[in-house]
Amino acid sequence: MAQTAAVYAAILIPFKVGIPIIPGFVELRPANAVPIVASLLFGPAAAWGAAFGNVIGDCFGTLGPGSLFGFLGNFCYGYVPHLLRGHLGVLSSERGPTPSSWRQIIEFMVICSVASMACALVIGWGVDLLGLLPFWIVVPPIFLNNFLMGVLLAPPLLFFLHPRVKRWGLLYEDIVRSEASLDPEALDPSTELRVEPEPGRGLDGSGARGGRSIQETRSTPSSHPSPVTRHHILSVENVSFTHTGAARPALNGISLRVRQGESVALMGRTGVGKSTLCYALNGLVPQLIPGRWSGQVTVNGHDTTSRPVWQQAGMVGLVFQDFEAQLLSTNVTMELAFPLEHLPQPLSPPAMASRIERALERVGLSGLDRRDPLSLSGGQRQRLVIASTLIREPALVVLDEPMTDLDPEGRRTLASLLASMRAGGTALIVAEHDPEDAVAADRVCVLDHGAVVWDGPPRLLFGDPDIPPWYGIRPLPLVSCFAGLKLPDPPMTVEEAWQVADAHGLMVAPDEAALHQEAVRKDAPVIIDAHKVSYEYQRGSPVVSDLSFAVHEGEFVAIIGLNGSGKSTLAMLLSGLNTPTSGRVLVGGRDTRTLGAGQLATTVGYVFQNPDHQIFAETVGEEVAFGIRNLGFPPEECERRVAEALDAVGLAAPEVRKLDPFSLTKGDRQRVAVASVLAARPRILIFDEPTTGLDAEQTDRMMRMLRRLNQRGHTIVIITHTLSLVAAHAARCAVMRDGRIVADGPTREVFRTLTDPQFAASVGLEAPSLTRCAARWGHTLLTVDEVRAALRKK
């Protein structure tokens, strides 16, 4: 309802003054296609949306006594199409609402006619009753306006929206069917879901690594007792869920209990059901995300399907993996005030202001209270969403990959905040890919094929580096380094590694000559040259300041730094998507101000941090082909390039091309965005956080792909917070702080600088654990293989 009202009003308002037909009463209304389309897709909710949307529009020029009848008339206009479709006897097509056959066209024309006349009659009668205008003057223009706009504009919208809405299971009939399935009397016990495990996982078909049975590695509940003084706050009992239209369940008989103050890390490959389980914990599944549901989830004794989702928000706080979908206000303070305004006991303005100030301080956003959330960096926006979730102090907090876009300082801040919440009795469930973050949890629950295949303490899972890869999880790097010693309790932190080394008389002494030394390619021609560049989003507040930076052809460069240090802004300047406020950027020797979109597309490819800012087409195949078709390539060449690009990102399966990109996981949407850029075969590829949302296997595949592209001659620039990826793949590294580059050189040299605590603190970064471990002996090592080869007896 709210979305229909908002869209309807937003399109109505510009025409209120612009093109009146009867000034003050009737104006040209292209928006009148919206109620018909929404009614045919979403049912009665569209009627209320049309009614309220019309009143909102009237507030911008025609609000008056007649608005009451405008409310009633538009309600009819939004309700009649739903009422008539499929109920017109011989005129009914018995098919979808898109007018693609003669019977559907006839049915649609009848629906438009009746709905338009119903709206016109109600408004005309009301206006005549009030003595404002005669009935016969008002009705014809309203009818004709509604009918023409509906007939001309509604069909294209239906052709565009109906396949997507149907695919997402959001049609009115799908929602009604889903709600019926929540009725205990309507549940059929014979529909209990059971699926045999398959080797494939996700769209790429990557399989689990076999070898040892789950029974051999899974811990018993007694191996990780929780404090007996704390009660179970969450109980998940035999929950199964299959998304509408899915071939197999996302959740398959999951049972899980979490105590007050307990921290649980959810791990596993992308697509195994972690996000679906998170959504089930506050009722989004199955109340708002339709599908087949069985089992029970209770939080503090309340069944999550028995109360509306909004009522559970104060008890279960949820941060989405796609956290930007949760932002709704125009400044940071209003974003945090919104959840406080819906507390059962409203706070006084001073108490609200105090809580907002404290929340910003806890997530490291003090001083940004007046900023527009969209002007913040990705990591800062993520911290803002976390703050808006925690500000209501829920008993259970569920975070879906909360560390993905955070810099090391942000990770430390969030880890400290979560630790204090646990100490205060808040239960935590965190979906995570990074083992170095998960190891701090009380328990790790690993999901595979929608089921829990491991539930136990982190040390039991990560103590053997051969076990995590079976489930698509990266082993802890330090454990891998010391694996050859067969230690009963291998080190998981840098401090533990030093203690183990002392206890066994070990030291790190590499053969410096054997270390991989990939020199910065200063002998190659400069392909990107930024000279004294500055850029401002707001006047007087430069994000990039007087910065000079050159990239040589064929380089693999990583740009690192704190959230908000200017990394993404610099990348967009280097790609030509933004032009500098002052200074200049040359790409291939030409100023980006003079390069057209087509020239830029074949020279520089840019992959956004959030793939949803980039993808838009109805299918994966159309998305990847869009750019190269616009560049004028013939169909045969387009097909060849699309196939090559999809194969490069691991999405070569033919059925993938027909999928809606927005129906994919965030990691798969990221790969689609990469493929759409690769299809143009640009000489330079710039990636902003290319591994966000990817599991260990997908991350390795993505980085291998970038390495291959670099070896084929492409210049690669990546922005990332995952410094272990920089260590393993980038030949050169640049560190940014406050819009300037403060360190730039070969990766090993820059990481040697990062082992200096004073410099690391000044830039808010921290060298990877392997590098910090080896620094004790005065060496800068970057990978597991380097550390393992350098370990030797004193």
Side-chain angles (χ1 to χ4, degrees), residues 1 23 94 102 106 165 233 263 277 301 311 327 344 353 362 371 452-453 489 506 521 628 675 719 721 735 751 771:
M1 180 191 79
E94 305 298 335
W102 281 111
I106 293 171
V165 175
I233 198 168
S263 172
L277 178 58
Q311 285 188 356
L327 294 170
R362 294 177 79 187
R371 287 276 297 273
V452 175
V453 295
D489 191 17
L506 297 173
R521 302 185 59 174
I628 50 178
I719 294 169
H721 292 127
V735 181
F751 276 42
T771 304

Side-chain angles (χ1 to χ4, degrees), residues 267-417:
M267 303 195 76
R269 292 180 179 84
T270 297
V272 296
K274 301 188 298 296
S275 294
T276 304
L277 178 58
C278 289
Y279 297 156
L281 301 183
N282 76 339
L284 277 174
V285 167
Q287 293 194 54
L288 299 181
I289 300 176
R292 287 187 296 150
W293 167 271
S294 64
Q296 185 178 50
V297 176
T298 56
V299 179
N300 266 348
H302 297 282
D303 190 324
T304 57
T305 62
S306 65
R307 299 192 303 170
V309 173
W310 66 268
Q311 285 188 356
Q312 300 180 88
M315 185 169 59
V316 182
L318 174 61
V319 176
F320 296 165
Q321 181 184 9
D322 185 8
F323 56 87
E324 291 188 357
Q326 293 178 257
L327 294 170
L328 52 89
S329 296
T330 54
N331 72 40
V332 168
T333 297
M334 292 172 63
E335 191 70 43
L336 296 183
F338 181 79
L340 296 180
E341 290 168 349
H342 294 82
L343 290 172
Q345 298 296 326
L347 297 175
S348 66
M352 185 180 294
S354 175
R355 191 180 288 198
I356 290 172
E357 182 180 359
R358 180 167 173 265
L360 290 174
E361 183 180 355
R362 294 177 79 187
V363 298
L365 295 179
S366 296
L368 301 178
D369 49 310
R370 296 299 173 187
R371 287 276 297 273
D372 182 342
L374 296 182
S375 73
L376 302 176
S377 71
Q380 288 171 329
R381 290 198 293 268
Q382 186 169 28
R383 281 187 272 169
L384 176 58
V385 171
I386 291 170
S388 70
T389 301
L390 303 184
I391 200 167
R392 290 189 64 168
E393 300 175 353
L396 172 65
V397 174
V398 182
L399 302 107
D400 193 355
E401 297 192 32
M403 303 289 192
T404 52
D405 289 298
L406 298 184
D407 54 43
E409 185 175 277
R411 286 171 175 253
R412 290 192 295 270
T413 299
L414 179 58
S416 176
L417 175 58

Side-chain angles (χ1 to χ4, degrees), residues 405-585:
D405 289 298
L406 298 184
D407 54 43
E409 185 175 277
R411 286 171 175 253
R412 290 192 295 270
T413 299
L414 179 58
S416 176
L417 175 58
L418 297 181
S420 67
M421 293 171 60
R422 288 165 62 190
T426 302
L428 302 173
I429 293 184
V430 183
E432 189 55 76
H433 280 312
D434 192 332
E436 295 190 85
D437 293 323
V439 76
D442 297 317
R443 289 161 55 197
V444 176
C445 289
V446 179
L447 271 60
D448 199 25
H449 296 90
V452 175
V453 295
W454 180 291
D455 187 358
R459 284 189 174 272
L460 188 59
L461 175 65
F462 295 117
D464 184 344
D466 293 331
I467 294 178
W470 299 347
Y471 308 116
I473 302 170
R474 192 179 306 284
L476 280 168
L478 288 171
V479 172
S480 297
C481 290
F482 287 81
L485 300 179
K486 306 297 183 184
L487 300 173
D489 191 17
M492 298 190 181
T493 66
V494 172
E495 292 74 16
E496 290 179 7
W498 291 340
Q499 293 170 6
V500 167
D502 290 342
H504 291 80
L506 297 173
M507 63 182 295
V508 171
D511 179 357
E512 294 287 346
L515 292 179
H516 181 60
Q517 301 281 357
E518 187 168 352
V520 176
R521 302 185 59 174
K522 292 186 177 179
D523 57 327
V526 171
I527 194 168
I528 302 179
D529 187 11
H531 181 68
K532 293 187 176 298
V533 167
S534 295
Y535 188 83
E536 299 177 356
Y537 289 105
Q538 297 178 348
R539 191 170 181 83
S541 301
V543 182
V544 171
S545 302
D546 196 31
L547 180 148
S548 294
F549 183 66
V551 178
H552 296 262
E553 190 166 7
E555 278 196 294
F556 195 130
V557 184
I559 302 174
I560 62 176
L562 282 175
N563 292 130
S565 62
K567 302 185 303 298
S568 294
T569 301
L570 175 59
M572 295 184 77
L573 290 168
L574 300 181
S575 68
L577 292 176
N578 285 343
T579 54
T581 307
S582 63
R584 65 177 186 172
V585 177

Side-chain angles (χ1 to χ4, degrees), residues 705-725:
M705 180 191 72
L706 298 190
R707 171 61 71 181
R708 286 197 307 271
L709 291 168
N710 183 237
Q711 291 169 347
R712 293 174 186 171
H714 291 273
T715 302
I716 306 292
V717 179
I718 66 168
I719 294 169
T720 183
H721 292 127
T722 310
L723 299 195
S724 59
L725 297 181

